[in-house]
Amino acid sequence: MRKTLGLALGAGAARGIAHIGLLQALDDAGIRPDFIAGSSMGSIVGACYASGMSPCAIRDAMVELRALDIVNLSLLPVTQLGFLKWSKVRRIIAEYMGGEHNIEDLPIPYGCVAVDINSGELRFFREGSVIDAMLASSSMPTIFLPVELDGKKYVDGGVLCRVPVRQVKEMGADVVVAVDVMGQVRPQEKIGSVVSLITRVYDIMDANNTAHSREKTADITDLWLEPDMGDANAYKLKYDPEIYEAGYRCGKENAETILRLLDG
C-alpha cells in the first residue's frame, strides 16, 4: 500500500506562485497529496488546491489578479494596525473557490498556521472558515490588518513558522515534503528605501529562524525543496511566469523521488 503524502507549503508572498507550478508538476506525474499544511502564501495556494481547484485554475486566477483588486486602504492605518483591509481579497477568493467553505469539509485535509499577536503563540487552524484561516495566515504585519477571530488578532504564520513541517506530520502524513519558496538570503548590494530595509531585515530574521526550524524537524522531513527563482522579488503584486516555471521544474525534477518515497 502506498504511503500517504503531506505537503508543507511555505510562506513567500509572490514567490509562493512557485507552489502552483510544483503542484502542477506533481499532478502531471499522478501525485496527489493526502494532507496539506500552509503558511501565508502557501496557505492560500494550499487551500485553493485542497478545495478542488486545479493548479491551472489557480494559476489563471493569479494571472488575472491586479494590484487594484487587492489594494483597499485602511483609513486609520496606525490605530488599526495595518494599511490594507482584506475585504476585496476575501470577495475574490470566495468567488474563485465557489463560496465559503469550512476546513473540515475540504476534499483534501488541510490546515494553516497564523500567529496570535497578543499571546505570541502559533495557532494551527484545522476547522472553521477556510477563508478566515488563510487570511489570518497571510496577514503580513503592518501591511494588512490583523484578522480578528473569536476575539483574537492573528498575523502572518510566517512570523513564527515559514514551513509547517511538524503540523503536516501531525495531520497523519507518512511522507513529508517541505517546499520553501524563500530559500536562502542572497547578498544585496543596494537597499533603496525604508520599505526595502524593513523587508530585508524581515527576510534575514526569517531565514535564520527557518534554518533552526529545519534542523529541528530534519527527522520528520523526507524531502526539503527550494525552487530556484534567483533574485525574484517576493513583494511585487504582479504575476511572474518565471516563478511559476521554477516551481514546475522543481516538482518535475523531484517527482520520481517522491514516488519512491511513497512506495518505499
Side-chain angles (χ1 to χ4, degrees):
M1 181 179 295
R2 175 172 287 187
K3 296 177 181 178
T4 58
L5 171 63
L7 293 184
L9 304 181
R15 289 171 69 100
I17 291 169
H19 290 313
I20 308 172
L22 184 133
L23 287 168
Q24 182 63 65
L26 297 188
D27 262 18
D28 291 348
I31 301 171
R32 187 170 176 82
D34 300 284
F35 305 96
I36 298 175
S39 179
S40 198
M41 187 61 173
S43 76
I44 294 177
V45 174
C48 290
Y49 186 81
S51 72
M53 288 181 69
S54 68
C56 183
I58 302 171
R59 181 194 61 196
D60 290 347
M62 291 289 182
V63 170
E64 294 174 4
L65 201 61
R66 298 291 182 268
L68 289 177
D69 297 329
I70 300 173
V71 174
N72 191 9
L73 292 175
S74 167
L75 296 178
L76 300 169
V78 176
T79 58
Q80 292 185 354
L81 308 180
F83 287 94
L84 301 180
K85 297 185 289 185
W86 280 114
S87 50
K88 281 187 177 182
V89 178
R90 184 184 190 89
R91 286 196 298 270
I92 291 169
I93 292 174
E95 178 181 343
Y96 281 118
M97 292 181 68
E100 296 276 353
H101 303 278
N102 284 332
I103 293 173
E104 56 268 34
D105 296 330
L106 295 180
I108 298 176
Y110 165 84
C112 64
V113 292
V115 176
D116 181 335
I117 198 61
N118 294 112
S119 70
E121 296 177 347
L122 187 71
R123 176 174 174 182
F124 186 43
F125 287 90
R126 291 286 289 115
E127 60 183 17
S129 166
V130 176
I131 297 179
D132 281 345
M134 75 163 77
L135 294 184
S137 181
S138 306
S139 186
M140 185 179 294
T142 71
I143 304 300
F144 282 99
L145 296 177
V147 173
E148 186 167 345
L149 299 173
D150 301 323
K152 298 181 179 181
K153 289 184 172 65
Y154 292 96
V155 296
D156 200 302
V159 170
L160 289 180
C161 180
R162 188 161 91 187
V163 187
V165 169
R166 195 170 301 282
Q167 288 75 13
V168 81
K169 184 67 175 180
E170 291 173 353
M171 291 172 72
D174 297 319
V175 174
V176 172
V177 175
V179 188
D180 182 9
V181 295
M182 290 299 289
Q184 309 301 311
V185 173
R186 293 171 178 260
Q188 187 171 330
E189 294 183 2
K190 183 179 179 181
I191 309 295
S193 67
V194 172
V195 173
S196 297
L197 176 61
I198 293 171
T199 56
R200 179 66 174 173
V201 170
Y202 187 87
D203 288 346
I204 292 170
M205 294 171 61
D206 184 31
N208 184 64
N209 291 336
T210 301
H212 287 299
S213 296
R214 182 176 178 179
E215 290 178 7
K216 291 179 180 179
T217 58
D219 59 324
I220 59 172
T221 306
D222 297 280
L223 187 62
W224 185 283
L225 302 179
E226 295 182 0
D228 184 4
M229 290 170 269
D231 295 321
N233 187 350
Y235 302 103
K236 68 178 182 179
L237 297 178
K238 186 178 180 181
Y239 173 82
D240 187 339
E242 292 185 3
I243 294 178
Y244 172 90
E245 290 298 330
Y248 184 84
R249 286 195 306 272
C250 182
K252 189 172 182 180
E253 290 167 359
N254 289 279
E256 288 299 323
T257 300
I258 295 172
L259 287 171
R260 285 196 298 271
L261 288 168
L262 294 175
D263 292 332

